[in-house]
Structure formats: C-alpha cells, structure tokens
Amino acid sequence: MADLLDLMNPQRARLFPILADTSKEGRTLSIFLATLTFVRGFSQNLFNSINQRIGSTTIISTYTEVNFNNLADKKMGRPDGLIVLETGKRTWSALVEAKVGKSEISNDQLERYLAIAKSKKIDAVITISNQFATVPDHHPVKITSTKFKGIGLYHFSWMQIMTVARLLTANQDIEDEEQANILKEFLRFISHPSAGVEGFSQMPKAWSTVCALVQAGGKLVRNDELYAVVEAWQQETKDLSLILSRQLGTFVREKLSRAESSSPGAKFESDVKELVSKQALAINLDVPDAASPLSVIVDLRRRSILNSMYVKAPGDKVSNKARLNWLLRQIPKQADSKAHIRMYWPGSSPTTQLPLSDLRENPDRIGEDKGKMTVVGFDVIMPVDLGNRFGQTRTIIQELETSVPHFYESVGQHIRQWAPPPPKLSQERVSPETVSPNTISEDTNSIEAE
C-alpha cells in the first residue's frame, strides 16, 4: 500500500514511539493511530461517524511522519500521519494532521495538505486538535476554495476521541480482553495532562464587549466580534455535549435541523440570527431516552442561563390541576427552590409561568386567568442568574458546565412524557369464543331485533 501511494520510507505508527521529549504531537498521534489498528471497536466507532465502515475483514494501516515522492512542490509540507483502510478490493485513505495544547490548525496548512491529497489521489484529510466540531464534517477551519472538491475533510477533537475511549471502556463494549486492555492504557495516556488534551475553557474577549453592548441597550450587528462569539459558542456546545456524555455514560449530541446537519454554514448562520434578533444563544441536547431534548439558552439581556425540558400534558387527565399534579409527582422536591414551571395553552393564548414551589403549595393557581382552557404542555425551567459575572469570559463557561448537569440530575432524569395506557381486555371478551364469527353474528341479530 505504501508503494501505491508513493510514500518515501514509510514509518508505521507505534504504540510505544521512540521520539524526542519535545515531539508531543508526534507521540500523541502515533499512540492514537496505533490504537486504531489494534482495537476494532474503537476504530469502528470513529470511522462510522465519517461514513467509513470497518468490517471484520478490513485491514487498517497507519503511518506517521509521512513523506511523498515526486511532489510538485517540495514546500507543501509533511503531514503528521496517514490512515489506509483496505476492505477486499476497496481502498480508502486519509492524511492526518494533529495539534495538541493551544496549537490550532491553520487555513494555509490545511490547504497544502488538501493539495497533497488531491495530487496523490488520497480520499480525505482528517485533522485532530483541541478545537471542536459539532459533527466531523463541520470543520472548524473554513475552506472556501472549490479546487479541493471531492476530497473529504473531517475534524475530531481530542476530547471527542477521549470520550469515545471512555464510554467504550466504562460500558465494557470491547469484548476482546487484550483489545480492552490496550484501550484502557490509551485512555490512561490520553487523559493525562502530558498528552496535551484540553477542553474549551474561555470565551473570547469579544464576549465581554457584546454583553456590555446588550446591557447598554445597544443593537447587535454582524461584525467580527459577534462572529467570534458565535464561533466560541459552537466550540463550547460541543465540549458541553462531550462532558455530559462522559457523565451519563452514553453519547449526548446536539439536536440539529436537516439543513444544519448538512451544512456547517447553516448552523453558524442560525446561531448568528439567534444572537442578533433575540440577544441569546441556544442549544438543544439530545440525551438518549430522555423525555425531550435538554434546552440551554444563554440570555444576554437577562444575564442568565435557562436550562429546561418540555413535556406534554397527560391526555387522560381532565382538570388542569390533575395534569399539573401528574408532573409535580415526577419532580424531586430538591428542585423546588430553583425551578419554575411554564404552562402552554391552546391556540395563541400566551404562556404562564410560576415558581415550582408556589404550584406545589397551591396547584389551583395553574388556571389563573385562563377560564375554561386546558393546559397542553409544560416547560420545567431552572434559571441561573449570573448578574455582573455574566460577561466574564471564564465564568460563563464554568457556569454552563456546572448548571446543565445539575439541571439534568435534579429534574431531567426524573421526568417522562405521558403515553396513553394500552387497551384493556374486558372480562366479557377474555375467551376467544366471545369474538368468534358466530357470536358476532348472534350479537348483531339481537341488536337488530331490538
């Protein structure tokens, strides 16, 4: 395979690389690439996310310090790695570029490696860094050139890789004992500070400026500062979903529209519109088997974080009080001091909202000023008022990463959507003979006789 791709002196990725202490990126990448070749479930999980199936017969080859013969331009650089998947007669390959710590992938470097991939008929370029992407094909570095059309471009954060390893290990999803042990050792390595893996910890300086403008009653406009805030928000939301994934032991993903899933530009544009029109940033987190997506709104006007989940009112309860009590029974009383309940009403009737503690004490308040209307749904909301600390670049991240898991632990994991009860078999029809054709005919004749 190395000859086919015209590699010069190819170096296999090693689990125990012999590299200088200063080569942190090379060491981290070599250990990761080697782990992919040894732990089938690990490679399957990661490659499935970029639509590459790893079957039982797939051969995975990985290389580091990749040099190519006969490059048109010797200044195009040397990619950090190469991955080759061989399944029968089908071959798929990808160049890999990795950064650790604060280093980021540059646009110029990325374009050079895309050019190498095109010239050597390599299928894709994969980048890995501490930058985040909502999904792997939503690359954090914008490439506008169309000359690389047909070359796949994907990005993994080291936190995403670590999260996959953590979940596979914690859930004991790797059945082969030797592979499981290798993955545990990789997890031990990648989670150590020396590996250079970091989460998102701070909004840009533009965050404080944008927040101050909103508080002063100013109008937000599209400019570099606003775009910097949205880019940072998208980094944080991905990190937040990975944190919650590790806490819950299952993958939590951001809920995207079809348009947002297919285009990173569409997702960015929707967040920009939200910030300009509503002075807010929002995300919906899809927790497997939860009652509904976990909604997180960062409200710049109110300087608060709103965590909430929605449930429909139960259809088998007639009165508003009964519908409310169905919900209240699900929420632990430890949430009473902080949570609010927002009620939704038919048609265009405005929502109403009261503290959970007030409704617990006097559930009759649910129908105030709504006459004979019947409540159709509830938001359970837990606000976090940050006041003057809201505009601090680190505080907002710390509060998000604390309040979202707290809301889910206090409320989200306890509530369930109402479902209609299954039909019951009446005593009169327990026997199959009671619904036989003869019986039905006799019943019909008796009704007609009446």
Side-chain angles (χ1 to χ4, degrees):
M1 191 64 217
D3 293 338
L4 181 63
L5 292 174
D6 202 20
L7 291 179
M8 182 192 306
N9 189 27
Q11 303 293 318
R12 291 275 184 176
R14 305 293 181 183
L15 269 176
F16 307 104
I18 302 173
L19 296 168
D21 291 341
T22 55
S23 185
K24 182 182 289 188
E25 286 176 358
R27 179 189 61 178
T28 301
L29 180 63
S30 178
I31 293 171
F32 164 64
L33 291 179
T35 303
L36 286 178
T37 66
F38 287 112
V39 186
R40 183 63 46 140
F42 184 46
S43 57
Q44 285 174 335
N45 190 294
L46 288 170
F47 284 110
N48 280 348
S49 67
I50 58 173
N51 299 316
Q52 294 300 318
R53 183 177 178 275
I54 303 292
S56 59
T57 61
T58 300
I59 299 171
I60 306 174
S61 303
T62 57
Y63 305 88
T64 58
E65 300 180 350
V66 181
N67 285 296
F68 291 92
N69 291 304
N70 305 314
L71 279 180
D73 184 352
K74 299 297 183 182
K75 296 180 181 179
M76 294 175 79
R78 184 190 68 187
D80 293 327
L82 173 69
I83 300 171
V84 181
L85 309 180
E86 297 175 89
T87 306
K89 294 182 179 180
R90 181 182 181 272
T91 299
W92 182 89
S93 55
L95 295 178
V96 182
E97 177 62 20
K99 302 289 186 184
V100 297
K102 303 296 183 185
S103 299
E104 295 187 351
I105 309 292
S106 70
N107 183 284
D108 177 65
Q109 186 179 40
L110 188 54
E111 288 200 1
R112 292 201 309 270
Y113 294 156
L114 285 166
I116 292 175
K118 186 174 183 178
S119 69
K120 295 300 179 181
K121 296 183 179 180
I122 292 171
D123 299 285
V125 172
I126 297 173
T127 59
I128 309 171
S129 72
N130 285 322
Q131 297 160 276
F132 293 84
T134 304
V135 291
D137 59 353
H138 288 196
H139 204 280
V141 178
K142 304 297 185 291
I143 297 292
T144 57
S145 176
T146 59
K147 63 184 177 181
F148 304 119
K149 188 176 181 180
I151 310 273
L153 179 58
Y154 306 104
H155 180 80
F156 293 108
S157 68
W158 285 114
M159 274 294 182
Q160 180 180 359
I161 290 169
M162 187 184 79
T163 299
V164 171
R166 167 64 177 168
L167 266 57
L168 291 174
T169 300
N171 297 335
Q172 299 181 341
D173 290 333
I174 306 299
E175 295 181 359
D176 183 278
E177 185 177 356
E178 289 185 0
Q179 293 185 31
N181 286 333
I182 290 173
L183 190 60
K184 286 178 184 177
E185 289 306 309
F186 170 74
L187 183 60
R188 185 191 300 273
F189 163 74
I190 203 69
S191 60
H192 192 273
S194 65
V197 176
E198 300 176 357
F200 188 80
S201 60
Q202 185 174 356
M203 293 292 278
K205 291 181 180 178
W207 171 252
S208 300
T209 305
V210 169
C211 289
L213 178 61
V214 171
Q215 286 302 302
K219 182 180 179 181
L220 294 182
V221 296
R222 293 168 178 261
N223 56 26
D224 289 344
E225 287 184 322
L226 186 128
Y227 293 151
V229 167
V230 173
E231 287 174 358
W233 167 250
Q234 293 190 340
Q235 294 280 303
E236 167 56 17
T237 54
K238 180 58 180 178
D239 195 18
L240 182 61
S241 68
L242 292 173
I243 291 170
L244 205 55
S245 296
R246 295 193 295 274
Q247 290 177 307
L248 295 177
T250 186
F251 288 106
V252 175
R253 294 179 172 87
E254 183 174 355
K255 190 174 180 63
L256 302 174
S257 69
R258 183 175 297 180
E260 290 170 344
S261 296
S262 62
S263 169
K267 172 57 179 164
F268 186 81
E269 179 61 21
S270 65
D271 283 346
V272 168
K273 284 183 177 179
E274 182 89 2
L275 183 54
V276 171
S277 63
K278 299 181 180 178
Q279 291 79 58
L281 294 162
I283 179 180
N284 289 312
L285 295 170
D286 232 341
V287 181
D289 301 321
S292 67
L294 196 166
S295 171
V296 183
I297 297 174
V298 176
D299 191 325
L300 278 69
R301 284 179 295 186
R302 294 182 174 86
R303 296 189 292 187
S304 63
I305 300 169
L306 299 176
N307 301 305
S308 67
M309 290 178 73
Y310 175 81
V311 291
K312 292 180 180 179
D316 61 344
K317 310 294 183 185
V318 177
S319 70
N320 287 327
K321 182 177 179 180
R323 291 185 169 201
L324 174 65
N325 283 331
W326 166 85
L327 175 64
L328 296 181
R329 284 193 293 269
Q330 298 184 57
I331 304 174
K333 291 193 175 182
Q334 66 190 42
D336 285 16
S337 62
K338 297 180 179 179
H340 290 241
I341 305 295
R342 179 180 296 148
M343 285 74 72
Y344 290 85
W345 304 92
S348 59
S349 183
T351 61
T352 53
Q353 184 170 320
L354 288 167
L356 172 59
S357 57
D358 288 6
L359 288 169
R360 185 95 73 182
E361 184 176 335
N362 185 6
D364 288 321
R365 291 192 64 189
I366 183 176
E368 288 179 343
D369 303 322
K370 289 297 179 179
K372 295 183 179 181
M373 282 194 222
T374 303
V375 66
V376 296
F378 305 96
D379 267 333
V380 186
I381 306 168
M382 193 170 282
V384 181
D385 184 7
L386 297 181
N388 292 330
R389 298 188 303 128
F390 185 83
Q392 297 174 8
T393 58
R394 288 188 179 274
T395 297
I396 186 65
I397 301 301
Q398 293 166 354
E399 291 291 342
L400 273 168
E401 295 177 0
T402 300
S403 69
V404 173
H406 174 69
F407 169 77
Y408 185 80
E409 188 273 333
S410 301
V411 174
Q413 66 185 4
H414 300 285
I415 60 177
R416 292 288 179 268
Q417 289 286 2
W418 175 81
K424 294 182 179 180
L425 188 63
S426 66
Q427 290 299 313
E428 294 81 4
R429 297 191 181 95
V430 169
S431 171
E433 287 78 9
T434 61
V435 290
S436 68
N438 287 337
T439 304
I440 293 174
S441 177
E442 292 173 1
D443 289 345
T444 304
N445 290 332
S446 66
I447 291 173
E448 290 179 352
E450 294 176 0

